[in-house]
Amino acid sequence: MNKKNKSIQVFRNKVFGMATGMVLSMVFPLLAQKVGAIPKEDIAVQLSNRVVLTEELLWMDIKVWVQNEPSPSKVIYMELLDREGVPVIQDMANLNKGRSQAYLEIPPTINSDHYLLRVYTRISPFTSGSKGVFQDIITIINPEKPPTISDKPRTVTNKELENPAFTGSIENSSSDQIKLTLPTASWLSVVIRKANPTLQPEIALDFDKMYRRINSNSPLIPELYGHIIKGRVLDNTVDPEGFYYLTAHGKQFHFFISRPDSTGTCYFETGNFKHYEYVVVQASTAEREVNFILDSPFWEARPDESFDLPELIMSPKDREFLEERLLARASHQYYLAPEKVARDSIPFQFVTDFSYLLDDYNRFEDMATVIREYVPTVLVRSQNRTTIFKNFNLPFDEVFQENPLLLIDGMPVFESDDFAKFNPKNIRKMDIINRNFYIKDHSFNGLVSLSSYENDFGRFDLPAKALFIEYSGVQQNKKFRTEIGQEEKELHLPDFRNILYWSNGNEAGPELYFTPSSLKGPFIMNLQYRDSLENSWEKENYLIDLE
């Protein structure tokens, strides 16, 4: 090969190496989320029940629209606030084409009381006002911490029992099922549940009075590709050339990088952030103390002091209702527990040149010996009484003169000497990159990455100057079960379900089938759908006689 052709080949290899690292690092450019007008989102939520017991799930069919089309946002936020405006439950869920069937788990320690439910996206409170934040009053009953009991007669009537009877077709079907003929509507949500007593307060949720002026202290960035973690450097002087590394950990791990802007703000674009429970944050220089915090992704505004929730008061006449709900809770927990939808595992984020399963080779007591013995594309050298690693740069047929990026379960290790002395007995796999690769605009001289069996860093001594912060990912999808299977029916298991149907009505088609439970009394059917002509969400409530 002549000199000219060799130069062309080297240039092609260099371009390929850069493109591979930039594209396959799976880190999307943040600026892409700032392009174009910020959408004004309209949020609607269908609830399984507004009266919930502890240890139950509050199910939500969430719909987010932008100009009569599904919103491109990928994350929805849900929270319950107590009467002081303090969040007691917060969770995130994935949005897929503007829709999510999500839930909030009601813990057994929460007090019996009325709570404020809020559902929104990262930007909707700031761009859409009342349409961008769904709000409702949720009544939670903790049998272990009962509310005030009063014999005083209630002065209000039960409005649920004033709903009109369902006028559509209702007929008995096979297998003891009942068939309903549903109205034709787009984005239809359906819930059929036992009627509640008069427990909820009649409160008008006036968004403007509750929140006054709403301002955002940072740029509004819609989450078009997945969850964004926002952090801030607290140093008085921000180094514009410095980087911060964030490793997300849980059942899997992933490595992210961000450079602070002029205000010290970092944004980590995490994509499908669903396998993680905590994060590790480090500065790009090992000697630096990490003076850094992560901001909560939830909306920080609290209702105005004038917003007041009345006390939850129950009557001795509610005893039968509570006993039935306890039976219903047991039925849903033990016989109809929600099915966890399997999560797709996230593949290793880098395209590597070589991978080694350490169980296929002789085990040694330190990583320096392991690499020296059977990784020919990584050199182990001593420099200034410190062990360093030098990866071959295969496209250029040369050797890098500086350490590669050293990772253990996605966590950077800056001290190559510590990495060299580390005993890999708890390490399952080693991945090698022998080329220059990029994450965003940051270049690395190759990679040596270790993956442990338990995703616990292989018992490596964790860096003292790193931050370890609990940060849960989006909730795991669950599927609500409304039907007892044939095997359970043959065993004559108790069936005290209070929710007979909960689903996306559009998936059910024009005919809906459900099985009654052993509970008697009035049932309510709540319908929610999109009126495309009026560009609005509509609700219809009906009484269903199952006697």
mmCIF file of all heavy atoms in Angstrom, residues 46 50 159-160 162-166 191 193 523-528 538-544:
data_model
loop_
_atom_site.group_PDB
_atom_site.id
_atom_site.type_symbol
_atom_site.label_atom_id
_atom_site.label_comp_id
_atom_site.label_asym_id
_atom_site.label_seq_id
_atom_site.Cartn_x
_atom_site.Cartn_y
_atom_site.Cartn_z
ATOM 1 N N GLN A 46 -57.765 8.649 34.208
ATOM 2 C CA GLN A 46 -58.871 7.845 34.716
ATOM 3 C C GLN A 46 -58.356 7.046 35.908
ATOM 4 O O GLN A 46 -57.379 6.303 35.796
ATOM 5 C CB GLN A 46 -59.390 6.908 33.634
ATOM 6 C CG GLN A 46 -60.414 5.882 34.097
ATOM 7 C CD GLN A 46 -61.808 6.440 34.205
ATOM 8 O OE1 GLN A 46 -62.033 7.420 34.918
ATOM 9 N NE2 GLN A 46 -62.760 5.838 33.506
ATOM 10 N N ARG A 50 -61.225 6.541 43.816
ATOM 11 C CA ARG A 50 -60.749 7.715 44.561
ATOM 12 C C ARG A 50 -60.702 7.455 46.056
ATOM 13 O O ARG A 50 -60.239 8.314 46.815
ATOM 14 C CB ARG A 50 -61.647 8.912 44.265
ATOM 15 C CG ARG A 50 -61.610 9.353 42.798
ATOM 16 C CD ARG A 50 -62.642 10.412 42.518
ATOM 17 N NE ARG A 50 -62.351 11.657 43.203
ATOM 18 C CZ ARG A 50 -63.259 12.587 43.458
ATOM 19 N NH1 ARG A 50 -64.525 12.383 43.112
ATOM 20 N NH2 ARG A 50 -62.925 13.692 44.064
ATOM 21 N N LYS A 159 -73.534 11.275 45.867
ATOM 22 C CA LYS A 159 -73.754 11.642 44.466
ATOM 23 C C LYS A 159 -73.505 10.478 43.519
ATOM 24 O O LYS A 159 -74.026 10.471 42.398
ATOM 25 C CB LYS A 159 -72.871 12.836 44.105
ATOM 26 C CG LYS A 159 -73.291 14.129 44.790
ATOM 27 C CD LYS A 159 -72.553 15.328 44.226
ATOM 28 C CE LYS A 159 -73.071 16.615 44.837
ATOM 29 N NZ LYS A 159 -72.409 17.820 44.280
ATOM 30 N N GLU A 160 -72.706 9.505 43.956
ATOM 31 C CA GLU A 160 -72.481 8.357 43.081
ATOM 32 C C GLU A 160 -73.785 7.614 42.815
ATOM 33 O O GLU A 160 -73.994 7.082 41.722
ATOM 34 C CB GLU A 160 -71.450 7.415 43.698
ATOM 35 C CG GLU A 160 -70.019 7.923 43.624
ATOM 36 C CD GLU A 160 -69.009 6.820 43.834
ATOM 37 O OE1 GLU A 160 -69.393 5.754 44.338
ATOM 38 O OE2 GLU A 160 -67.838 7.031 43.480
ATOM 39 N N GLU A 162 -76.595 8.922 42.557
ATOM 40 C CA GLU A 162 -77.474 9.759 41.747
ATOM 41 C C GLU A 162 -77.134 9.681 40.260
ATOM 42 O O GLU A 162 -77.807 10.319 39.436
ATOM 43 C CB GLU A 162 -77.378 11.212 42.220
ATOM 44 C CG GLU A 162 -77.852 11.414 43.655
ATOM 45 C CD GLU A 162 -77.665 12.839 44.138
ATOM 46 O OE1 GLU A 162 -77.092 13.651 43.361
ATOM 47 O OE2 GLU A 162 -78.065 13.152 45.267
ATOM 48 N N ASN A 163 -76.100 8.910 39.916
ATOM 49 C CA ASN A 163 -75.754 8.754 38.504
ATOM 50 C C ASN A 163 -76.870 8.015 37.767
ATOM 51 O O ASN A 163 -77.575 7.171 38.350
ATOM 52 C CB ASN A 163 -74.450 7.961 38.349
ATOM 53 C CG ASN A 163 -73.235 8.769 38.754
ATOM 54 O OD1 ASN A 163 -73.115 9.945 38.404
ATOM 55 N ND2 ASN A 163 -72.328 8.148 39.491
ATOM 56 N N PRO A 164 -77.070 8.305 36.504
ATOM 57 C CA PRO A 164 -78.116 7.601 35.741
ATOM 58 C C PRO A 164 -77.746 6.141 35.514
ATOM 59 O O PRO A 164 -76.564 5.771 35.527
ATOM 60 C CB PRO A 164 -78.161 8.378 34.420
ATOM 61 C CG PRO A 164 -76.789 8.971 34.278
ATOM 62 C CD PRO A 164 -76.347 9.294 35.678
ATOM 63 N N ALA A 165 -78.752 5.331 35.320
ATOM 64 C CA ALA A 165 -78.513 3.921 35.006
ATOM 65 C C ALA A 165 -77.949 3.802 33.594
ATOM 66 O O ALA A 165 -78.279 4.585 32.700
ATOM 67 C CB ALA A 165 -79.805 3.133 35.138
ATOM 68 N N PHE A 166 -77.071 2.821 33.412
ATOM 69 C CA PHE A 166 -76.480 2.602 32.085
ATOM 70 C C PHE A 166 -77.562 2.138 31.127
ATOM 71 O O PHE A 166 -78.288 1.172 31.389
ATOM 72 C CB PHE A 166 -75.368 1.563 32.195
ATOM 73 C CG PHE A 166 -74.681 1.277 30.895
ATOM 74 C CD1 PHE A 166 -73.964 2.263 30.239
ATOM 75 C CD2 PHE A 166 -74.760 0.018 30.313
ATOM 76 C CE1 PHE A 166 -73.328 2.004 29.034
ATOM 77 C CE2 PHE A 166 -74.131 -0.250 29.110
ATOM 78 C CZ PHE A 166 -73.409 0.747 28.466
ATOM 79 N N VAL A 191 -63.743 1.825 33.889
ATOM 80 C CA VAL A 191 -63.599 1.174 35.193
ATOM 81 C C VAL A 191 -64.989 0.855 35.717
ATOM 82 O O VAL A 191 -65.912 1.674 35.627
ATOM 83 C CB VAL A 191 -62.810 2.052 36.193
ATOM 84 C CG1 VAL A 191 -63.458 3.403 36.393
ATOM 85 C CG2 VAL A 191 -62.657 1.327 37.521
ATOM 86 N N ARG A 193 -66.613 -0.510 39.248
ATOM 87 C CA ARG A 193 -66.209 -0.702 40.648
ATOM 88 C C ARG A 193 -67.430 -0.577 41.556
ATOM 89 O O ARG A 193 -68.479 -0.057 41.164
ATOM 90 C CB ARG A 193 -65.174 0.343 41.047
ATOM 91 C CG ARG A 193 -65.665 1.774 40.883
ATOM 92 C CD ARG A 193 -64.724 2.801 41.475
ATOM 93 N NE ARG A 193 -65.204 4.152 41.209
ATOM 94 C CZ ARG A 193 -66.135 4.781 41.918
ATOM 95 N NH1 ARG A 193 -66.729 4.155 42.942
ATOM 96 N NH2 ARG A 193 -66.500 6.019 41.625
ATOM 97 N N PHE A 523 -72.985 -0.805 41.716
ATOM 98 C CA PHE A 523 -71.684 -0.660 41.070
ATOM 99 C C PHE A 523 -71.732 0.555 40.142
ATOM 100 O O PHE A 523 -72.793 0.908 39.610
ATOM 101 C CB PHE A 523 -71.315 -1.919 40.286
ATOM 102 C CG PHE A 523 -70.771 -3.017 41.148
ATOM 103 C CD1 PHE A 523 -71.621 -3.824 41.888
ATOM 104 C CD2 PHE A 523 -69.404 -3.242 41.229
ATOM 105 C CE1 PHE A 523 -71.127 -4.834 42.694
ATOM 106 C CE2 PHE A 523 -68.897 -4.252 42.023
ATOM 107 C CZ PHE A 523 -69.763 -5.051 42.753
ATOM 108 N N ILE A 524 -70.585 1.152 39.957
ATOM 109 C CA ILE A 524 -70.463 2.350 39.139
ATOM 110 C C ILE A 524 -69.569 2.038 37.934
ATOM 111 O O ILE A 524 -68.539 1.360 38.072
ATOM 112 C CB ILE A 524 -69.837 3.516 39.935
ATOM 113 C CG1 ILE A 524 -70.616 3.768 41.219
ATOM 114 C CG2 ILE A 524 -69.759 4.777 39.086
ATOM 115 C CD1 ILE A 524 -72.030 4.245 41.012
ATOM 116 N N MET A 525 -69.967 2.509 36.756
ATOM 117 C CA MET A 525 -69.096 2.443 35.586
ATOM 118 C C MET A 525 -68.673 3.867 35.229
ATOM 119 O O MET A 525 -69.517 4.726 34.959
ATOM 120 C CB MET A 525 -69.788 1.786 34.391
ATOM 121 C CG MET A 525 -68.872 1.721 33.158
ATOM 122 S SD MET A 525 -69.467 0.647 31.834
ATOM 123 C CE MET A 525 -70.908 1.555 31.283
ATOM 124 N N ASN A 526 -67.365 4.107 35.247
ATOM 125 C CA ASN A 526 -66.795 5.404 34.859
ATOM 126 C C ASN A 526 -66.197 5.285 33.463
ATOM 127 O O ASN A 526 -65.367 4.406 33.208
ATOM 128 C CB ASN A 526 -65.703 5.839 35.833
ATOM 129 C CG ASN A 526 -66.189 5.897 37.272
ATOM 130 O OD1 ASN A 526 -65.623 5.254 38.144
ATOM 131 N ND2 ASN A 526 -67.236 6.658 37.525
ATOM 132 N N LEU A 527 -66.629 6.148 32.551
ATOM 133 C CA LEU A 527 -66.078 6.210 31.203
ATOM 134 C C LEU A 527 -65.354 7.539 31.027
ATOM 135 O O LEU A 527 -65.840 8.577 31.469
ATOM 136 C CB LEU A 527 -67.181 6.092 30.147
ATOM 137 C CG LEU A 527 -68.078 4.858 30.178
ATOM 138 C CD1 LEU A 527 -69.118 4.949 29.082
ATOM 139 C CD2 LEU A 527 -67.251 3.592 30.032
ATOM 140 N N GLN A 528 -64.218 7.489 30.376
ATOM 141 C CA GLN A 528 -63.496 8.714 30.008
ATOM 142 C C GLN A 528 -63.026 8.548 28.567
ATOM 143 O O GLN A 528 -62.508 7.488 28.195
ATOM 144 C CB GLN A 528 -62.302 8.948 30.928
ATOM 145 C CG GLN A 528 -61.588 10.277 30.665
ATOM 146 C CD GLN A 528 -60.321 10.404 31.501
ATOM 147 O OE1 GLN A 528 -59.372 9.664 31.303
ATOM 148 N NE2 GLN A 528 -60.313 11.346 32.436
ATOM 149 N N GLU A 538 -63.812 14.053 28.116
ATOM 150 C CA GLU A 538 -65.164 13.955 28.637
ATOM 151 C C GLU A 538 -65.287 12.747 29.567
ATOM 152 O O GLU A 538 -64.591 11.744 29.400
ATOM 153 C CB GLU A 538 -66.185 13.827 27.487
ATOM 154 C CG GLU A 538 -66.147 14.969 26.487
ATOM 155 C CD GLU A 538 -66.550 16.307 27.095
ATOM 156 O OE1 GLU A 538 -67.290 16.285 28.108
ATOM 157 O OE2 GLU A 538 -66.142 17.354 26.559
ATOM 158 N N LYS A 539 -66.205 12.868 30.550
ATOM 159 C CA LYS A 539 -66.467 11.788 31.494
ATOM 160 C C LYS A 539 -67.955 11.483 31.526
ATOM 161 O O LYS A 539 -68.787 12.385 31.418
ATOM 162 C CB LYS A 539 -65.999 12.161 32.905
ATOM 163 C CG LYS A 539 -64.496 12.200 33.091
ATOM 164 C CD LYS A 539 -64.154 12.468 34.554
ATOM 165 C CE LYS A 539 -62.651 12.431 34.780
ATOM 166 N NZ LYS A 539 -62.302 12.654 36.214
ATOM 167 N N GLU A 540 -68.275 10.197 31.688
ATOM 168 C CA GLU A 540 -69.650 9.758 31.884
ATOM 169 C C GLU A 540 -69.658 8.706 32.979
ATOM 170 O O GLU A 540 -68.808 7.804 32.987
ATOM 171 C CB GLU A 540 -70.243 9.195 30.589
ATOM 172 C CG GLU A 540 -70.375 10.219 29.474
ATOM 173 C CD GLU A 540 -70.953 9.616 28.200
ATOM 174 O OE1 GLU A 540 -71.384 8.442 28.248
ATOM 175 O OE2 GLU A 540 -70.968 10.315 27.168
ATOM 176 N N ASN A 541 -70.580 8.822 33.915
ATOM 177 C CA ASN A 541 -70.683 7.888 35.031
ATOM 178 C C ASN A 541 -72.083 7.276 35.043
ATOM 179 O O ASN A 541 -73.088 7.987 34.882
ATOM 180 C CB ASN A 541 -70.422 8.607 36.362
ATOM 181 C CG ASN A 541 -69.054 9.273 36.383
ATOM 182 O OD1 ASN A 541 -68.060 8.681 35.987
ATOM 183 N ND2 ASN A 541 -69.004 10.512 36.856
ATOM 184 N N TYR A 542 -72.139 5.957 35.258
ATOM 185 C CA TYR A 542 -73.414 5.253 35.224
ATOM 186 C C TYR A 542 -73.503 4.274 36.395
ATOM 187 O O TYR A 542 -72.491 3.738 36.861
ATOM 188 C CB TYR A 542 -73.575 4.463 33.917
ATOM 189 C CG TYR A 542 -73.562 5.309 32.668
ATOM 190 C CD1 TYR A 542 -72.404 5.434 31.911
ATOM 191 C CD2 TYR A 542 -74.705 5.974 32.248
ATOM 192 C CE1 TYR A 542 -72.378 6.208 30.767
ATOM 193 C CE2 TYR A 542 -74.695 6.748 31.094
ATOM 194 C CZ TYR A 542 -73.525 6.869 30.363
ATOM 195 O OH TYR A 542 -73.509 7.637 29.231
ATOM 196 N N LEU A 543 -74.745 4.040 36.829
ATOM 197 C CA LEU A 543 -75.035 2.962 37.767
ATOM 198 C C LEU A 543 -75.276 1.676 36.983
ATOM 199 O O LEU A 543 -75.921 1.691 35.932
ATOM 200 C CB LEU A 543 -76.277 3.286 38.595
ATOM 201 C CG LEU A 543 -76.111 4.196 39.812
ATOM 202 C CD1 LEU A 543 -77.473 4.565 40.377
ATOM 203 C CD2 LEU A 543 -75.255 3.519 40.871
ATOM 204 N N ILE A 544 -74.734 0.561 37.498
ATOM 205 C CA ILE A 544 -74.955 -0.734 36.863
ATOM 206 C C ILE A 544 -75.592 -1.664 37.888
ATOM 207 O O ILE A 544 -75.038 -1.868 38.983
ATOM 208 C CB ILE A 544 -73.642 -1.347 36.338
ATOM 209 C CG1 ILE A 544 -73.069 -0.467 35.234
ATOM 210 C CG2 ILE A 544 -73.863 -2.758 35.829
ATOM 211 C CD1 ILE A 544 -71.825 -1.036 34.609
#
